[in-house]
Amino acid sequence: MTVATSARDASGADLDPASLVEAERVHRRAYVDPEIFELEMDLIFGRSWIYVGHESQIPQAGDYFTTQVGRQPVIMTRHTDGQIYVLENRCPHKGALVCPERAGHSRPFVCMYHGWSFDGDGALRSVPARSGYEGTSFDPKDPANGLKQLPRVQNHRGFIFASLAADGPDFKTWAGKGLRGLDNLVDRAPAGEVEVIGDCYRTVQNNNWKIFLDNMSDGMHTSFVHNQMAKAAQKTIARTAVRRPGGLDVAAMLAGEPEQMARMDLVAHPGGHFDMVAFAPPPSGPDADQYKASMEAFHGKERAEAILKESYHSVLMFPTLVMQQSLQQMRVIRPISANKTLLEIWVFCLKGAPESFVRRAVTGGNVGNSPSNVVAADDFESYYRVHAGLESPQTDWVLLHRGARQDVPQGSSIKGGDGNSEVCMRNMFHAWRDYMTAQ
């Protein structure tokens, strides 16, 4: 299949994606141009590894969860053999969605339009009015007449990723050091596994998907965007003497000055991935003692200490997944259009951890990430203002100079000079350019 690697602007002139990214700045069209968005869906979301879901969402044979990989609706399902498959959510007969619901249980899958049915691995099971196909080229055993399996699927410690492209870097090559954060979340479970808690928080942002990802490594904004909210959280904690404030404790930290945020560590990795180390003090209190004892029993004392010492706050696995280990959360983006992005926030249970850890994670999600939150509402407004400003034809460039002369190479990765550096944003757009210009 040949995919176009350039677009045309409103005047009909060629729009070369490579020309939109420079060493320390990015052209506004990388964010707002609809033709660029169309290329992204083909060249990034149509080729990269995309997060689908977690195996705990489909514990029994016949369970399924539906989502999108790029533009393609998909079904993540567990078959009777126990294996997890990611299938195109499209009947091969007339193209209808087979599973319109977000999740459920079905054995077999049956298309409501003409009654074709399929097994959990996608194989065609039965076709009504079978005699009507006699003497035709239709072959019920041909895999093309079943629900098509995505060409590449990877289960990494319960997290399911898939790619629409049959060829390309294997999962571990693509993920590289981006797996450090994902592995750390699982390692923090005393029983060695994590589990999704309930459903996710879902919000449609009125901005380009890359504006959200920019913000995930931007410590500088917290002192301004979240200032009033953070001060209110501090006063609430002081006035009510809340012992386990959940998301309020993180919210209160956001009142710091830029100098405080500068103490974070930012490390950018090949492929656009990054790590942010911050906001994760070691567990304390009676439940924390129980937790640490469970961790040492499972991992050994030395290994448990090393796991808990890794205080990742945000970890990006470009282009769709942001882990927040300290909050037991994961943020997943599903681009809708150049100016709309679906955000899903999932909360995880650390199996074997005290019940209070579950309550704290859910409380943190409700306070900081639900549609009626006190933290992300500030962010959503700032994202909208950025996108609205970039739609102005008089605007040309987004500036990413901060800290560029203080970047420190760390093997194949780059460490920012301090936590206010824009190193992760620069790195992400360099990876974006590579995707958009790959042949």
Side-chain angles (χ1 to χ4, degrees), residues 221-297:
H221 84 280
T222 62
S223 303
F224 306 97
V225 173
H226 300 301
N227 184 267
Q228 295 302 313
M229 175 278 305
K231 288 182 178 178
Q234 289 178 330
K235 290 179 180 178
T236 300
I237 292 172
R239 184 175 65 252
T240 60
V242 179
R243 290 184 58 200
R244 296 185 179 91
L248 284 177
D249 52 359
V250 174
M253 291 180 187
L254 299 178
E257 297 300 319
E259 291 75 15
Q260 173 183 314
M261 309 310 292
R263 292 194 288 271
M264 299 186 303
D265 284 335
L266 295 174
V267 184
H269 304 302
H273 315 311
F274 74 71
D275 301 334
M276 173 194 282
V277 177
F279 303 150
S284 60
D287 289 338
D289 292 340
Q290 174 190 341
Y291 169 65
K292 287 188 282 188
S294 299
M295 287 286 288
E296 290 176 5

Side-chain angles (χ1 to χ4, degrees), residues 38-353:
E38 293 301 314
L39 284 177
E40 289 175 333
M41 298 309 289
D42 288 336
L43 300 177
I44 299 179
F45 292 89
R47 294 183 179 179
S48 184
W49 287 92
I50 305 300
Y51 176 72
V52 178
H54 191 267
E55 65 179 10
S56 64
Q57 295 173 262
I58 48 171
Q60 304 297 325
D63 290 346
Y64 68 86
F65 170 75
T66 65
T67 185
Q68 297 263 143
V69 173
R71 293 187 179 91
Q72 177 62 52
V74 299
I75 309 166
M76 179 180 72
T77 183
R78 191 181 293 272
H79 190 32
T80 52
D81 61 5
Q83 295 297 309
I84 293 174
Y85 294 87
V86 181
L87 312 171
E88 290 187 3
N89 191 0
R90 175 192 179 279
C91 180
H93 182 215
K94 295 293 186 180
L97 290 175
V98 175
C99 293
E101 298 85 7
R102 289 183 58 206
H105 181 90
S106 182
R107 293 174 62 186
F109 295 115
V110 180
C111 178
M112 60 84 69
Y113 196 14
H114 293 100
W116 286 34
S117 67
F118 309 89
D119 287 325
D121 61 355
L124 181 63
R125 184 168 181 165
S126 65
V127 175
R130 183 72 171 270
S131 61
Y133 295 92
E134 292 180 1
T136 72
S137 61
F138 176 76
D139 179 2
K141 295 182 181 181
D142 186 344
N145 292 321
L147 298 180
K148 184 178 179 181
Q149 297 179 11
L150 266 62
R152 293 189 294 165
V153 176
Q154 179 72 40
N155 183 342
H156 182 79
R157 305 186 71 177
F159 292 84
I160 310 300
F161 294 79
S163 175
L164 295 172
D167 300 316
D170 62 65
F171 175 76
K172 288 199 172 181
T173 300
W174 164 80
K177 293 182 180 179
L179 283 178
R180 298 195 306 190
L182 188 63
D183 288 338
N184 183 253
L185 175 64
V186 181
D187 289 341
R188 284 173 174 265
E193 295 180 350
V194 298
E195 183 176 3
V196 169
I197 301 175
D199 205 342
C200 65
Y201 307 99
R202 303 177 92 227
T203 306
V204 174
Q205 305 173 359
N206 294 312
N207 56 266
N208 186 263
W209 61 279
K210 298 182 294 299
I211 293 173
F212 170 78
L213 294 186
D214 281 350
N215 192 71
M216 290 296 96
S217 66
D218 189 336
M220 178 71 78
H221 84 280
T222 62
S223 303
F224 306 97
V225 173
H226 300 301
N227 184 267
Q228 295 302 313
M229 175 278 305
K231 288 182 178 178
Q234 289 178 330
K235 290 179 180 178
T236 300
I237 292 172
R239 184 175 65 252
T240 60
V242 179
R243 290 184 58 200
R244 296 185 179 91
L248 284 177
D249 52 359
V250 174
M253 291 180 187
L254 299 178
E257 297 300 319
E259 291 75 15
Q260 173 183 314
M261 309 310 292
R263 292 194 288 271
M264 299 186 303
D265 284 335
L266 295 174
V267 184
H269 304 302
H273 315 311
F274 74 71
D275 301 334
M276 173 194 282
V277 177
F279 303 150
S284 60
D287 289 338
D289 292 340
Q290 174 190 341
Y291 169 65
K292 287 188 282 188
S294 299
M295 287 286 288
E296 290 176 5
F298 186 81
H299 292 288
K301 182 176 176 60
E302 184 175 344
R303 175 63 179 147
E305 290 178 350
I307 291 169
L308 296 177
K309 188 177 180 180
E310 295 180 0
S311 56
Y312 298 118
H313 176 63
S314 288
V315 174
L316 169 65
M317 297 184 71
F318 183 80
T320 57
L321 184 63
V322 177
M323 305 293 300
Q324 293 191 293
Q325 294 86 321
S326 59
L327 303 178
Q328 294 172 219
Q329 292 181 13
M330 180 176 69
R331 305 184 184 201
V332 184
I333 59 164
R334 312 285 184 191
I336 299 172
S337 64
N339 62 355
K340 287 193 182 297
T341 303
L342 173 64
L343 173 65
E344 301 175 347
I345 298 183
W346 299 89
V347 178
F348 288 86
C349 164
L350 306 179
K351 286 189 176 181

